[in-house]
């Protein structure tokens, strides 16, 4: 069953969500408002998404019997994170539609394949090279130069599985500490700012983009997102066109985010694609309170075969992640005018663990004249 012949869901139908983190939790809450039910499949017994659904399955992604039982109880399957094993998605796709299509994971789970895909579309990225040993790493450094960033090809997020290489560094030690046999070396980009575009595509090919978001990372973890990004309107248009081109080329159904760098050149600023996230995205959390339709509802609409909404931003929006012990500050945020607090219901805070977020929507400033 493919996106092109997907039967539309009706209120009361059930969506299966792979992954039980905060993204799954917010997807299930958005579905509930539309009269759709959700079941969550996650191997983590303390998954925060379990708290907001009636039925959940706690089992390993390799448990074929439990996967098939899960598929029998739902009408369509989606996922809240991109590192779902491809074999898991294949098992489910034999029984029910899986959206976005599981084959998309084969592109986005591997940084080298993803970079090649983007480059074939004629979209700019940092210079990059395939690396499989200290020797090939040295050759790549000779071509790309230093500083550079080495990343594992698979299973890296929030700064995990990567390192910056500078002049004088011990190449053998860096390779050993990365702990992989397949990596990608990327040129270090002296960017002006980091941005992202959250876009949705429906099965009939309609694409809707949210306003370009500007992102600030701390210790490789997103801390603050602001919409709209402080970039020229023409550049924002280019960024949205890139996200739309990627969504179309993937034959994507659902919400995805494209992370980009804004870099200076002689002709003015340009954007380079950093990564594709085939799911709802942390930098789109501002849409929960700052737009007419959230990224979570938009994703649910897309995979349900329902019309996409036209996202209208309510004003300048700031989203602040509550990371680790930041969660203890939630009461102060509750007293801030214009702020909305979202707590994920996780256990004890740990350094680097996303515990919640706060959105702040400000009134639009009137334009002069």
């Amino acid at each position: 069953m493919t996106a092109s012949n997907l039967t539309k869901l009706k209120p009361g139908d059930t969506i299966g969500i792979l992954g039980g983190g905060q993204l799954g939790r917010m997807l299930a809450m958005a579905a509930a408002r539309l009269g759709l039910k959700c079941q969550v499949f996650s191997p983590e017994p303390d998954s925060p998404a379990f708290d907001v659904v009636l039925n959940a399955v706690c089992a390993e992604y390799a448990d074929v019997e439990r996967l098939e039982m899960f598929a029998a109880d739902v009408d369509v399957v989606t996922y809240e994170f991109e590192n779902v094993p491809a074999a898991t998605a294949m098992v489910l796709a034999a029984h029910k539609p899986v959206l976005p299509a599981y084959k998309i994971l084969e592109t986005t789970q591997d940084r080298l394949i993803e970079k090649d895909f983007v480059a074939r579309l004629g979209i700019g990225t940092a210079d990059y090279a395939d690396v499989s040993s200290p020797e090939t790493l040295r050759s790549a450094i000779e071509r790309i130069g230093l500083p550079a960033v080495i990343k594992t090809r698979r299973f890296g997020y929030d700064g995990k599985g990567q390192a910056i290489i500078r002049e004088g560094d011990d190449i053998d030690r860096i390779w050993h500490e990365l702990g992989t046999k397949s990596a990608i070396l990327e040129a270090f980009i002296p960017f002006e700012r980091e941005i992202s575009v959250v876009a949705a595509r429906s099965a009939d090919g309609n694409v809707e983009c949210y306003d370009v978001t500007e992102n600030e990372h701390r210790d490789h973890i997103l801390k603050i997102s602001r919409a709209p990004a402080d970039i020229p309107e023409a550049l924002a248009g280019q960024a949205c066109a890139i996200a739309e081109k990627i969504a179309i080329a993937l034959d994507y159904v659902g919400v995805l985010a494209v992370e980009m760098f804004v870099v200076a050149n002689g002709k003015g600023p340009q954007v380079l694609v950093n990564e594709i996230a085939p799911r709802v995205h942390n930098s789109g959390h501002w849409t929960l309170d700052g737009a007419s339709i959230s990224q979570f509802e938009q994703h649910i609409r897309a995979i349900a075969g329902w019309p996409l909404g036209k996202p209208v931003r309510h004003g300048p929006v700031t989203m602040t992640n509550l990371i680790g012990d930041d969660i203890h500050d939630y009461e102060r945020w509750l007293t801030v005018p214009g702020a909305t607090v979202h707590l994920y219901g996780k256990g004890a805070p740990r350094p680097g663990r996303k515990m919640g977020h706060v959105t702040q929507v400000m009134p639009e400033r009137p334009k002069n004249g």
Side-chain angles (χ1 to χ4, degrees), residues 168-240:
D169 284 348
D170 185 334
I171 302 303
D172 290 295
R173 180 184 59 80
I174 288 173
W175 178 257
H176 176 74
E177 290 180 352
L178 199 64
T180 185
K181 294 181 179 179
S182 56
I184 182 172
L185 186 75
E186 299 178 6
F188 184 83
I189 300 296
F191 55 84
E192 292 182 349
R193 62 192 77 227
E194 294 178 88
I195 62 171
S196 58
V197 176
V198 173
R201 183 173 182 271
S202 60
D204 63 7
N206 181 37
V207 177
E208 294 288 351
C209 291
Y210 288 88
D211 287 337
V212 180
T213 304
E214 187 167 333
N215 303 309
E216 290 181 20
H217 290 78
R218 297 179 190 170
D219 298 322
H220 301 290
I221 300 173
L222 181 64
K223 180 60 181 176
I224 296 172
S225 290
R226 295 182 179 89
D230 185 16
I231 59 175
E233 191 172 324
L235 195 67
Q238 291 175 30
C240 290

Side-chain angles (χ1 to χ4, degrees), residues 45-248:
D46 57 351
S47 294
F50 286 175
D51 295 340
V52 299
V53 296
L54 185 62
N55 295 304
V57 178
C58 186
E60 296 298 324
Y61 289 123
D63 190 333
V64 174
E65 184 178 355
R66 298 296 294 276
L67 288 171
E68 290 178 340
M69 292 171 63
F70 176 70
D73 287 340
V74 304
D75 298 291
V76 67
V77 177
T78 192
Y79 36 85
E80 61 125 33
F81 75 122
E82 62 266 54
N83 288 331
V84 171
T88 298
M90 287 177 65
V91 168
L92 293 168
H95 301 278
K96 294 292 166 66
V98 175
L99 297 171
Y102 74 87
K103 284 198 168 293
I104 291 170
L105 297 177
E106 296 173 359
T107 298
T108 59
Q109 284 183 349
D110 186 309
R111 286 189 169 105
L112 179 64
I113 294 173
E114 180 179 283
K115 279 284 195 297
D116 287 344
F117 165 77
V118 172
R120 283 196 301 273
L121 294 177
I123 297 169
T125 71
D127 287 340
Y128 64 95
D130 184 12
V131 175
S132 57
S133 66
E135 293 72 32
T136 55
L137 175 55
R138 288 187 176 88
S139 297
I141 289 171
E142 286 181 16
R143 181 170 71 80
I144 290 175
L146 293 178
V149 182
I150 188 167
K151 302 176 180 179
T152 57
R153 283 176 54 173
R154 299 173 65 84
F155 306 125
Y157 64 96
D158 287 347
K160 298 176 176 67
Q162 60 182 272
I164 296 177
I165 305 176
R166 297 179 173 87
E167 291 288 352
D169 284 348
D170 185 334
I171 302 303
D172 290 295
R173 180 184 59 80
I174 288 173
W175 178 257
H176 176 74
E177 290 180 352
L178 199 64
T180 185
K181 294 181 179 179
S182 56
I184 182 172
L185 186 75
E186 299 178 6
F188 184 83
I189 300 296
F191 55 84
E192 292 182 349
R193 62 192 77 227
E194 294 178 88
I195 62 171
S196 58
V197 176
V198 173
R201 183 173 182 271
S202 60
D204 63 7
N206 181 37
V207 177
E208 294 288 351
C209 291
Y210 288 88
D211 287 337
V212 180
T213 304
E214 187 167 333
N215 303 309
E216 290 181 20
H217 290 78
R218 297 179 190 170
D219 298 322
H220 301 290
I221 300 173
L222 181 64
K223 180 60 181 176
I224 296 172
S225 290
R226 295 182 179 89
D230 185 16
I231 59 175
E233 191 172 324
L235 195 67
Q238 291 175 30
C240 290
I242 286 171
E244 182 170 354
K245 189 173 186 178
I246 288 171
I248 292 169

Side-chain angles (χ1 to χ4, degrees), residues 270-287:
Q270 67 173 125
V271 292
L272 299 177
V273 167
N274 180 30
E275 290 187 356
I276 303 168
R279 54 173 170 80
V280 288
H281 194 258
N282 196 173
S283 69
H285 287 0
W286 66 266
T287 65

Side-chain angles (χ1 to χ4, degrees), residues 9 21-22 24 26 28 43 75 77 99 124 131 181 259-260 300 332:
L9 300 189
Q22 64 265 21
M26 289 183 274
D75 298 291
V77 177
L99 297 171
V131 175
K181 294 181 179 179
E259 301 173 24
M260 308 179 200
I300 295 297
R332 180 184 70 80

